[in-house]
């Protein structure tokens, strides 16, 4: 049997993670897509695709553009809806030896509540990540994550029906991320993940056309890492919730920067596209760092910036 | 089909024209089975500014030598950087990706333009392997843009259309009389307007037509949903449910 | 005598620019620093360093960190104050054959007003750029640019004493940049320049220390271009003011993207550090684009996205 | 002094140790005057992920051949990429930057460590040109880290301190007895702790000491104000008012 490095274990409220490394929603499918490349049980957790109340087709093609050290996407929450998830996808993935977290999205409070309630019934899903920060949908999405009142309302409503670990994913497209974080903390969130994508845009100067069908889209990848680190650091200093940091993490060094900024766990997004086994390599890199720096765990250096 | 993420070694990098080059890549072990029309995601290491892998069709496979060939057109930063790779250097690929062309019928026509000719070599070989010599129609601007005609001729009855008439017939592939021969299936890969025109000709003649799309991709493995195409059953991933589609399943085709 | 490409001329309220290319505040000194590398009269304008009421030492060293396709700075408005500018710097630079614009900064409304009033008296300065978006100062700075009320108050106050072209530089670190832009438009601004830097942070994982003395700093360079384009596009669609776009412009193609998004002029910042003659090369690149696309001027394609 | 932004051609790239390499760069015209202690800003083209230029001291100048030499230590992405440059390739430099060392006195000591030894070659040559043979003290971990001793010996009385005693005296440069000789001026470049220690020794002996700083820079020409050092008169730009400062003008020194 495989043995895991016990020094890497972390807790996020109700759940135990083998290690701080999770994969980010929308970038790792349902995990299955990557099982040829790595052992999924190496991971602390997998956040599956954004799931909504009903089937969504998402935005028209083109949905992707590369930018300097980053990429824009405008997928727009394409998914088959929560019922298909519960009835077919869940059965395929429930036995993975890692924490499967469902990224819950919606256009209305009712939709978030409906999805959360249905996921609450699934035994092997220990947590949801409430996506109140998606820049790629016309209604709802980021709107909830950029207003303190709306953010706390949706979290409160979901909290009533969802009884396991409730992670809320925040948007960096705000004037004051600490205020939003505090509202969400007050409304009953167990943990925060940050950041979702930055709102951006790309243009083809020769064709004089936007590169995305939706004109604007969500920026991710190394380009956003400085902004993500700043958000994690600001929120870690000003709330008590465990934080899951993400945004441009490409290797173990980047992951450790987020831990130094105050993150308990981290997520790998865009990097999965470049090296489909990167998340498992980052787990190994974290162990190496502890060895090299002669540390018992990351507890001693978490948030020391 | 199991997918791999592995280093190949560059055996040869030949410039075929000022904008096209061909890479011969050595796999260190036995190659897994690869279907014609499947593609790889290439990691571009050198040459700054390129974050994501680049999808490139598998041009040909040498099962005995465990080599694959890529045929690449220089269009931007990634392909530019890739064109400079030298023999002996390693190249990391995720492969084999996508579903590939189904081998259907006995009288088949393959129509390619631009870098879309790439997968037709492997497809021709696959037909040869089951005893069928396909017809292959290649379109390009002029004779200077034409390459690998010997290789295509070895595996197919090669037909050519050039815009300026410097080789084969003068005009677009859709002007070529070979289209009027009776075929069981047409396969096409190339610029979208060309594929649409060919699909239209096929439809007129009631021949099933497979098109191979080149949508922009981020992951190549069905995870990101960036590469979708609008089909009659809604959005489908080009990277896993394609890149080959029956033209009549697609909207806008 | 040098002849200039007339097709490139643009107007920003009161001022005529030979071409849309200006250099960004804080990245081009007073112009003098670059005169060995290019002919400053090639430029549409030069925005000089951030100028405050009194001498400022700025933040402690280290003030700079490179990030993926970007850089963070934490200079913190080091400058000798408006009086030194008027008495010594002005005389050295006033005869440049281009528009010299002073970037006016401050901690209080009174300070902004004082600086603006003094600059108003300088004959050869046709415009100021009000910097209400500097993330690198503790008091004032970005605070003014992230709140509609504060933004309009400072612009109104300055408008009363400043009678030439008043450009206001906006921060991208806001939930809704269109709202801020509209407030500033209502308060009497003649033009908007956007964007200033994004608030970011960098950490040295091995030394476990922040890379900037101030921990957080301002992110600029190609990494921010998608965000900058999006801001320009949003504001261009929703206000009537001429917009000066900047953020990550490295070449003529980038500059044209901003024009397509709706900018009347553009500024070159970080790129000056990589090629000290880049702004003059971009002017040439704009002419080439017009030639290649057979256009009479950029008027036909400005804001067509 | 007028500054230039121009391409040089790499004549030679020699690895001196596993982490140090020396570039010989050919200027296509007559080189402008260059003071010892001045530096260049190198544009790193190849090798991804590097946005800004990198400041590197001018190691030596050959006025007859119109060549300059750079001595570079591999510490990160930029210097790593630069180490791979090959003869014949071009390298774009902004130069000459900074103020450089003033030549002051007749009995002078030059103290260097790490890549800080770089500008001392040109400084030694400048002293030789006015008929002064300086003393030069180089410190490093061990004999393997030592290089170019012949070149330094030709231009100076060379003294060496190694931490393990494998060459010269055992210990740090501050332990070297040469410090007790009477000097008019001391010049030092190297790791900050070393420079501070040398500045302290100089102060004790009442000898003026010039230190050359390696602050992180963005522009190199005095425009960005990123490179400041805290002096007794406030912040000064290392790139234009330095990189050489009189140690007693600096705070923290
Ligand atoms: C399944 C698949 C198979 C492919 N097979 C081949 C092949 O065998 N040989 C080959 O040369 N190319 C092939 N392509 C296209 C190839 O992926 C692109 O040309 C390449 O990604 C461009 O990268 P770049 O960095 O050079 O260009 P970029 O700098 O990214 O872009 C330059 C220009 O090319 C356009 N472009 C970028 N990506 C694509 C794309 N996927 N499709 C069309 N236009 C694009 C951009 O809009 C831009 O105008 C294939 C694409 C797909 C999806
Ligand atoms: C005026 C001046 C003259 C210099 N002369 C030389 C020289 O002759 N030879 C030489 O090898 N180097 C010299 N340096 C240092 C050189 O500029 C840096 O080593 C180089 O910029 C590092 O680039 P990188 O991309 O390899 O490292 P990065 O990836 O940018 O950084 C790697 C590590 O090096 C550190 N680092 C980066 N820049 C500097 C810096 N400026 N000073 C100290 N540490 C830094 C970083 O904090 C990090 O820990 C000089 C610096 C200055 C300011
Ligand atoms: C293609 C793509 C799809 C995404 N889909 C979702 C999603 O459904 N729900 C969500 O909360 N975040 C989604 N994200 C955002 C990522 O989870 C992550 O927050 C962001 O990409 C930043 O991390 P990175 O820089 O490591 O990619 C998506 C990102 C990408 C690139
Ligand atoms: C070193 C540095 C100093 C700056 N100082 C100022 C300043 O004083 N006032 C101001 O309004 N903006 C300042 N900026 C912001 C730039 O003017 C510009 O808005 C920003 O860098 C984005 O453009 P870029 O990506 O082209 O650099 C500074 C930027 C840098 C990098
Ligand atoms: S490219 Fe990611 S799903 Fe097809
Ligand atoms: S590096 Fe820009 S002022 Fe010194």
């Amino acid at each position: 049997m495989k043995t895991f490095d016990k020094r890497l274990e972390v807790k996020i409220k109700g759940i135990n993670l083998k290690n701080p490394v999770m994969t980010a929603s929308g970038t790792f499918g349902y995990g299955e897509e990557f099982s040829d490349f790595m052992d999924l049980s190496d991971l602390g957790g997998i956040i599956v695709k954004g799931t909504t109340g009903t089937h969504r087709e998402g935005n028209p093609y083109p949905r992707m553009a590369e930018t300097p050290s980053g990429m824009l996407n405008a997928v727009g929450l394409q998914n088959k809806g929560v019922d298909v998830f519960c009835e077919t996808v869940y059965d395929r993935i429930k036995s993975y030896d890692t924490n499967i977290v469902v990224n819950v999205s919606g256009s209305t409070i009712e939709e978030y509540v409906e999805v959360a309630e249905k996921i609450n019934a699934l035994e092997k899903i220990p947590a949801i990540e409430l996506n109140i920060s998606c820049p790629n949908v016309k209604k709802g999405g980021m709107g909830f994550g950029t207003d303190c009142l709306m953010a706390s309302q949706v979290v409160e409503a979901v909290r009533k029906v969802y009884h396991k670990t409730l992670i809320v994913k925040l948007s960096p497209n705000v004037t004051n991320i600490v205020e939003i974080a505090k509202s969400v903390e007050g409304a009953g969130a167990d943990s925060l993940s940050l950041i979702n994508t930055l709102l951006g845009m790309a243009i083809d100067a020769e064709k004089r056309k936007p590169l995305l069908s939706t004109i604007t889209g969500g920026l991710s990848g190394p380009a956003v890492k400085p902004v993500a680190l700043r958000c994690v650091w600001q929120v870690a200093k000003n709330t008590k919730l465990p934080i899951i940091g993400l945004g441009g993490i490409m290797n173990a060094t980047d992951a450790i920067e987020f831990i130094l900024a105050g993150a308990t766990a981290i997520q790998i997004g865009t990097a999965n596209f470049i090296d489909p086994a990167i998340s498992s390599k980052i787990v190994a890199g974290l162990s190496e760092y502890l060895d090299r720096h002669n540390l018992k765990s990351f507890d001693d250096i978490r948030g020391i910036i | 089909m199991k997918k791999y993420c592995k280093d190949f070694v560059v055996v040869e990098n030949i410039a075929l024209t000022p904008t096209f080059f061909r890479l011969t890549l050595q796999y260190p072990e036995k190659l897994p089975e690869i279907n014609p029309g499947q593609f790889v995601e290439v990691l571009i290491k050198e040459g700054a500014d390129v974050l994501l892998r680049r999808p490139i069709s598998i041009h040909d496979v040498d099962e005995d030598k465990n080599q694959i060939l890529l045929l690449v057109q220089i269009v931007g930063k990634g392909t530019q950087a890739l064109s400079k790779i030298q023999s002996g250097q390693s190249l990391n690929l995720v492969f084999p990706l996508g579903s590939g062309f189904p081998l259907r019928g006995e009288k088949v026509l393959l129509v390619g333009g631009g870098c879309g000719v790439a997968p037709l070599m492997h497809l021709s070989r696959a037909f040869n392997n089951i005893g069928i010599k396909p017809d292959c129609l290649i379109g390009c601007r002029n004779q200077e843009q034409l390459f690998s005609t010997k290789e295509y001729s070895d595996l197919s009855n090669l037909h050519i259309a050039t815009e300026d008439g410097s080789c084969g017939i003068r005009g677009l592939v859709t002007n070529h009389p070979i289209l009027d021969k009776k075929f069981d299936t047409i396969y096409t890969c190339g610029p979208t307007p060309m594929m649409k025109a060919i699909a239209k000709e096929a439809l007129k003649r009631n021949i099933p037509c497979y098109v191979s799309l080149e949508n922009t991709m981020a992951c190549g493995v069905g995870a990101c949903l960036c590469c979708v195409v609008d089909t009659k059953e809604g959005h489908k991933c080009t990277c896993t449910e394609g890149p080959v589609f029956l033209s009549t399943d697609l909207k806008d085709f």
Side-chain angles (χ1 to χ4, degrees), chain B residues 107-146:
Chain B
K107 278 181 276 165
V108 296
L109 174 66
L110 283 46
V111 186
C115 68
V117 300
L120 303 186
M121 185 75 81
H122 192 207
L123 180 58
S124 297
R125 190 176 301 282
F127 274 115
N128 277 266
N129 288 348
I130 56 168
I132 294 168
K133 192 163 191 188
D135 279 280
C136 195
L137 169 57
I138 289 177
C140 59
R141 198 151 311 149
N142 55 43
Q143 188 155 22
E144 280 77 61
Q145 313 274 314
L146 211 60

Short mmCIF file of all heavy atoms in Angstrom, two decimals, chain B residues 107-146:
data_model
loop_
_atom_site.label_atom_id
_atom_site.label_comp_id
_atom_site.label_asym_id
_atom_site.label_seq_id
_atom_site.Cartn_x
_atom_site.Cartn_y
_atom_site.Cartn_z
N LYS B 107 -14.51 2.87 -51.28
CA LYS B 107 -14.06 3.92 -52.18
C LYS B 107 -14.12 5.23 -51.39
O LYS B 107 -15.21 5.73 -51.09
CB LYS B 107 -14.93 3.98 -53.43
CG LYS B 107 -14.47 2.92 -54.45
CD LYS B 107 -15.29 2.93 -55.72
CE LYS B 107 -16.53 2.10 -55.46
NZ LYS B 107 -17.59 2.31 -56.46
N VAL B 108 -12.95 5.70 -51.03
CA VAL B 108 -12.95 6.85 -50.13
C VAL B 108 -12.10 7.97 -50.70
O VAL B 108 -11.09 7.73 -51.37
CB VAL B 108 -12.42 6.47 -48.72
CG1 VAL B 108 -13.35 5.46 -48.05
CG2 VAL B 108 -11.00 5.95 -48.78
N LEU B 109 -12.55 9.21 -50.40
CA LEU B 109 -11.82 10.39 -50.84
C LEU B 109 -11.37 11.18 -49.61
O LEU B 109 -12.15 11.43 -48.70
CB LEU B 109 -12.72 11.27 -51.71
CG LEU B 109 -12.12 12.63 -52.13
CD1 LEU B 109 -10.93 12.44 -53.06
CD2 LEU B 109 -13.19 13.50 -52.82
N LEU B 110 -10.09 11.56 -49.62
CA LEU B 110 -9.53 12.36 -48.53
C LEU B 110 -9.21 13.74 -49.11
O LEU B 110 -8.48 13.83 -50.10
CB LEU B 110 -8.24 11.73 -48.02
CG LEU B 110 -8.30 10.49 -47.10
CD1 LEU B 110 -9.26 9.44 -47.59
CD2 LEU B 110 -6.91 9.91 -46.91
N VAL B 111 -9.73 14.79 -48.50
CA VAL B 111 -9.50 16.14 -49.04
C VAL B 111 -8.82 17.01 -47.98
O VAL B 111 -9.34 17.17 -46.88
CB VAL B 111 -10.82 16.81 -49.46
CG1 VAL B 111 -10.54 18.14 -50.15
CG2 VAL B 111 -11.65 15.90 -50.35
N GLY B 112 -7.66 17.54 -48.32
CA GLY B 112 -6.92 18.34 -47.35
C GLY B 112 -6.44 19.66 -47.91
O GLY B 112 -6.19 19.80 -49.11
N GLY B 113 -6.32 20.64 -47.01
CA GLY B 113 -5.75 21.93 -47.38
C GLY B 113 -4.95 22.48 -46.22
O GLY B 113 -5.27 22.20 -45.06
N GLY B 114 -3.90 23.24 -46.50
CA GLY B 114 -3.08 23.81 -45.43
C GLY B 114 -2.53 22.72 -44.53
O GLY B 114 -2.20 21.63 -45.00
N CYS B 115 -2.44 23.00 -43.22
CA CYS B 115 -1.92 21.98 -42.32
C CYS B 115 -2.92 20.85 -42.14
O CYS B 115 -2.62 19.84 -41.51
CB CYS B 115 -1.50 22.58 -40.98
SG CYS B 115 -2.87 23.19 -40.01
N GLY B 116 -4.10 21.01 -42.72
CA GLY B 116 -5.11 19.96 -42.66
C GLY B 116 -4.74 18.71 -43.43
O GLY B 116 -5.35 17.66 -43.28
N VAL B 117 -3.68 18.80 -44.26
CA VAL B 117 -3.24 17.58 -44.95
C VAL B 117 -2.59 16.61 -43.96
O VAL B 117 -2.47 15.42 -44.24
CB VAL B 117 -2.26 17.89 -46.11
CG1 VAL B 117 -2.92 18.79 -47.14
CG2 VAL B 117 -0.97 18.51 -45.60
N ALA B 118 -2.17 17.14 -42.81
CA ALA B 118 -1.37 16.33 -41.88
C ALA B 118 -1.98 14.97 -41.55
O ALA B 118 -1.36 13.93 -41.82
CB ALA B 118 -1.08 17.13 -40.61
N PRO B 119 -3.20 14.91 -41.00
CA PRO B 119 -3.70 13.60 -40.58
C PRO B 119 -4.03 12.67 -41.74
O PRO B 119 -4.21 11.47 -41.54
CB PRO B 119 -4.96 13.96 -39.77
CG PRO B 119 -5.38 15.28 -40.29
CD PRO B 119 -4.12 16.00 -40.67
N LEU B 120 -4.12 13.22 -42.96
CA LEU B 120 -4.52 12.39 -44.09
C LEU B 120 -3.47 11.36 -44.46
O LEU B 120 -3.78 10.31 -45.05
CB LEU B 120 -4.85 13.28 -45.30
CG LEU B 120 -5.94 14.34 -45.05
CD1 LEU B 120 -6.29 15.06 -46.34
CD2 LEU B 120 -7.18 13.74 -44.40
N MET B 121 -2.21 11.62 -44.09
CA MET B 121 -1.15 10.64 -44.36
C MET B 121 -1.40 9.37 -43.54
O MET B 121 -1.39 8.26 -44.07
CB MET B 121 0.21 11.25 -43.99
CG MET B 121 1.39 10.39 -44.32
SD MET B 121 1.74 10.38 -46.10
CE MET B 121 2.66 11.92 -46.25
N HIS B 122 -1.63 9.57 -42.27
CA HIS B 122 -1.86 8.41 -41.40
C HIS B 122 -3.16 7.71 -41.79
O HIS B 122 -3.24 6.48 -41.78
CB HIS B 122 -1.90 8.85 -39.93
CG HIS B 122 -1.84 7.70 -38.96
ND1 HIS B 122 -2.38 7.77 -37.70
CD2 HIS B 122 -1.30 6.46 -39.07
CE1 HIS B 122 -2.18 6.62 -37.08
NE2 HIS B 122 -1.52 5.80 -37.88
N LEU B 123 -4.14 8.49 -42.20
CA LEU B 123 -5.43 7.91 -42.62
C LEU B 123 -5.24 7.09 -43.90
O LEU B 123 -5.76 5.96 -44.01
CB LEU B 123 -6.45 9.03 -42.83
CG LEU B 123 -7.85 8.61 -43.28
CD1 LEU B 123 -8.49 7.64 -42.29
CD2 LEU B 123 -8.75 9.86 -43.46
N SER B 124 -4.45 7.63 -44.85
CA SER B 124 -4.18 6.87 -46.08
C SER B 124 -3.51 5.55 -45.74
O SER B 124 -3.87 4.49 -46.25
CB SER B 124 -3.24 7.66 -46.99
OG SER B 124 -3.83 8.86 -47.39
N ARG B 125 -2.52 5.63 -44.83
CA ARG B 125 -1.80 4.42 -44.46
C ARG B 125 -2.76 3.39 -43.84
O ARG B 125 -2.68 2.19 -44.14
CB ARG B 125 -0.67 4.76 -43.48
CG ARG B 125 0.28 3.58 -43.22
CD ARG B 125 1.46 3.96 -42.34
NE ARG B 125 2.27 5.04 -42.87
CZ ARG B 125 3.17 4.89 -43.85
NH1 ARG B 125 3.37 3.71 -44.40
NH2 ARG B 125 3.86 5.93 -44.26
N ALA B 126 -3.66 3.88 -43.01
CA ALA B 126 -4.61 2.96 -42.36
C ALA B 126 -5.48 2.27 -43.40
O ALA B 126 -5.74 1.06 -43.31
CB ALA B 126 -5.48 3.72 -41.35
N PHE B 127 -5.90 3.03 -44.42
CA PHE B 127 -6.70 2.40 -45.49
C PHE B 127 -5.84 1.39 -46.26
O PHE B 127 -6.29 0.29 -46.55
CB PHE B 127 -7.28 3.47 -46.43
CG PHE B 127 -8.60 4.01 -45.94
CD1 PHE B 127 -8.74 5.34 -45.57
CD2 PHE B 127 -9.72 3.17 -45.85
CE1 PHE B 127 -9.96 5.83 -45.11
CE2 PHE B 127 -10.94 3.66 -45.40
CZ PHE B 127 -11.07 4.99 -45.02
N ASN B 128 -4.61 1.75 -46.58
CA ASN B 128 -3.72 0.82 -47.26
C ASN B 128 -3.58 -0.48 -46.48
O ASN B 128 -3.58 -1.56 -47.04
CB ASN B 128 -2.34 1.45 -47.45
CG ASN B 128 -2.29 2.34 -48.69
OD1 ASN B 128 -1.91 1.90 -49.76
ND2 ASN B 128 -2.73 3.59 -48.55
N ASN B 129 -3.47 -0.33 -45.16
CA ASN B 129 -3.30 -1.51 -44.31
C ASN B 129 -4.47 -2.48 -44.39
O ASN B 129 -4.33 -3.66 -44.13
CB ASN B 129 -3.08 -1.11 -42.85
CG ASN B 129 -1.70 -0.50 -42.65
OD1 ASN B 129 -0.84 -0.59 -43.53
ND2 ASN B 129 -1.49 0.12 -41.50
N ILE B 130 -5.66 -1.97 -44.74
CA ILE B 130 -6.80 -2.88 -44.90
C ILE B 130 -7.11 -3.08 -46.40
O ILE B 130 -8.21 -3.45 -46.77
CB ILE B 130 -8.05 -2.41 -44.13
CG1 ILE B 130 -8.47 -0.99 -44.54
CG2 ILE B 130 -7.81 -2.46 -42.62
CD1 ILE B 130 -9.86 -0.58 -44.03
N GLY B 131 -6.09 -2.79 -47.22
CA GLY B 131 -6.21 -3.14 -48.64
C GLY B 131 -6.95 -2.14 -49.50
O GLY B 131 -7.36 -2.44 -50.61
N ILE B 132 -7.13 -0.93 -49.00
CA ILE B 132 -7.85 0.07 -49.78
C ILE B 132 -6.90 1.21 -50.15
O ILE B 132 -6.22 1.76 -49.28
CB ILE B 132 -9.03 0.64 -48.97
CG1 ILE B 132 -10.07 -0.45 -48.74
CG2 ILE B 132 -9.65 1.85 -49.66
CD1 ILE B 132 -11.13 -0.10 -47.74
N LYS B 133 -6.83 1.56 -51.42
CA LYS B 133 -6.04 2.72 -51.81
C LYS B 133 -6.98 3.91 -51.98
O LYS B 133 -7.80 3.93 -52.90
CB LYS B 133 -5.29 2.42 -53.12
CG LYS B 133 -4.24 3.47 -53.42
CD LYS B 133 -3.23 3.00 -54.46
CE LYS B 133 -2.06 3.99 -54.53
NZ LYS B 133 -1.14 3.71 -55.64
N PRO B 134 -6.90 4.86 -51.10
CA PRO B 134 -7.85 5.98 -51.17
C PRO B 134 -7.48 6.96 -52.28
O PRO B 134 -6.36 6.96 -52.78
CB PRO B 134 -7.70 6.66 -49.81
CG PRO B 134 -6.31 6.36 -49.38
CD PRO B 134 -5.95 5.02 -49.98
N ASP B 135 -8.44 7.80 -52.66
CA ASP B 135 -8.13 8.98 -53.46
C ASP B 135 -7.83 10.11 -52.50
O ASP B 135 -8.49 10.26 -51.46
CB ASP B 135 -9.32 9.34 -54.35
CG ASP B 135 -9.36 8.47 -55.59
OD1 ASP B 135 -8.61 8.76 -56.54
OD2 ASP B 135 -10.14 7.48 -55.57
N CYS B 136 -6.83 10.89 -52.86
CA CYS B 136 -6.44 11.98 -51.96
C CYS B 136 -6.36 13.26 -52.77
O CYS B 136 -5.68 13.31 -53.80
CB CYS B 136 -5.09 11.62 -51.34
SG CYS B 136 -4.68 12.60 -49.93
N LEU B 137 -7.08 14.27 -52.33
CA LEU B 137 -7.13 15.55 -53.04
C LEU B 137 -6.56 16.64 -52.14
O LEU B 137 -7.05 16.85 -51.04
CB LEU B 137 -8.58 15.86 -53.42
CG LEU B 137 -8.90 17.27 -53.94
CD1 LEU B 137 -8.06 17.60 -55.18
CD2 LEU B 137 -10.40 17.37 -54.27
N ILE B 138 -5.51 17.29 -52.66
CA ILE B 138 -4.86 18.32 -51.86
C ILE B 138 -4.97 19.66 -52.57
O ILE B 138 -4.72 19.74 -53.78
CB ILE B 138 -3.37 17.97 -51.61
CG1 ILE B 138 -3.30 16.79 -50.63
CG2 ILE B 138 -2.59 19.15 -51.08
CD1 ILE B 138 -1.90 16.30 -50.37
N GLY B 139 -5.37 20.67 -51.82
CA GLY B 139 -5.49 21.99 -52.41
C GLY B 139 -4.51 22.96 -51.78
O GLY B 139 -4.26 22.90 -50.58
N CYS B 140 -3.94 23.83 -52.60
CA CYS B 140 -3.09 24.88 -52.03
C CYS B 140 -2.96 26.02 -53.03
O CYS B 140 -3.49 25.95 -54.13
CB CYS B 140 -1.73 24.35 -51.61
SG CYS B 140 -0.80 23.63 -52.94
N ARG B 141 -2.26 27.08 -52.62
CA ARG B 141 -2.20 28.27 -53.46
C ARG B 141 -1.43 28.00 -54.74
O ARG B 141 -1.90 28.30 -55.81
CB ARG B 141 -1.56 29.42 -52.67
CG ARG B 141 -1.84 30.77 -53.29
CD ARG B 141 -1.85 31.89 -52.25
NE ARG B 141 -2.67 31.56 -51.09
CZ ARG B 141 -2.42 31.99 -49.86
NH1 ARG B 141 -1.38 32.75 -49.61
NH2 ARG B 141 -3.23 31.67 -48.86
N ASN B 142 -0.21 27.45 -54.59
CA ASN B 142 0.63 27.23 -55.76
C ASN B 142 1.62 26.10 -55.49
O ASN B 142 1.69 25.57 -54.38
CB ASN B 142 1.37 28.51 -56.14
CG ASN B 142 2.16 29.04 -54.96
OD1 ASN B 142 2.81 28.28 -54.25
ND2 ASN B 142 2.10 30.35 -54.72
N GLN B 143 2.39 25.78 -56.51
CA GLN B 143 3.31 24.65 -56.42
C GLN B 143 4.29 24.77 -55.25
O GLN B 143 4.66 23.77 -54.65
CB GLN B 143 4.10 24.57 -57.74
CG GLN B 143 4.94 23.31 -57.83
CD GLN B 143 5.20 22.94 -59.28
OE1 GLN B 143 5.12 23.78 -60.17
NE2 GLN B 143 5.50 21.69 -59.52
N GLU B 144 4.70 26.00 -54.94
CA GLU B 144 5.68 26.18 -53.85
C GLU B 144 5.12 25.72 -52.49
O GLU B 144 5.86 25.40 -51.58
CB GLU B 144 6.09 27.65 -53.72
CG GLU B 144 7.14 28.10 -54.73
CD GLU B 144 6.54 28.33 -56.10
OE1 GLU B 144 5.65 29.21 -56.19
OE2 GLU B 144 6.91 27.63 -57.06
N GLN B 145 3.79 25.76 -52.37
CA GLN B 145 3.17 25.38 -51.09
C GLN B 145 2.97 23.87 -50.98
O GLN B 145 2.50 23.37 -49.97
CB GLN B 145 1.78 26.03 -50.98
CG GLN B 145 1.73 27.50 -51.34
CD GLN B 145 2.07 28.35 -50.16
OE1 GLN B 145 1.56 28.11 -49.08
NE2 GLN B 145 2.95 29.31 -50.35
N LEU B 146 3.32 23.17 -52.03
CA LEU B 146 3.05 21.74 -52.09
C LEU B 146 4.26 20.96 -51.57
O LEU B 146 5.40 21.34 -51.83
CB LEU B 146 2.83 21.38 -53.57
CG LEU B 146 1.88 20.25 -53.90
CD1 LEU B 146 0.49 20.55 -53.37
CD2 LEU B 146 1.84 20.08 -55.42
#
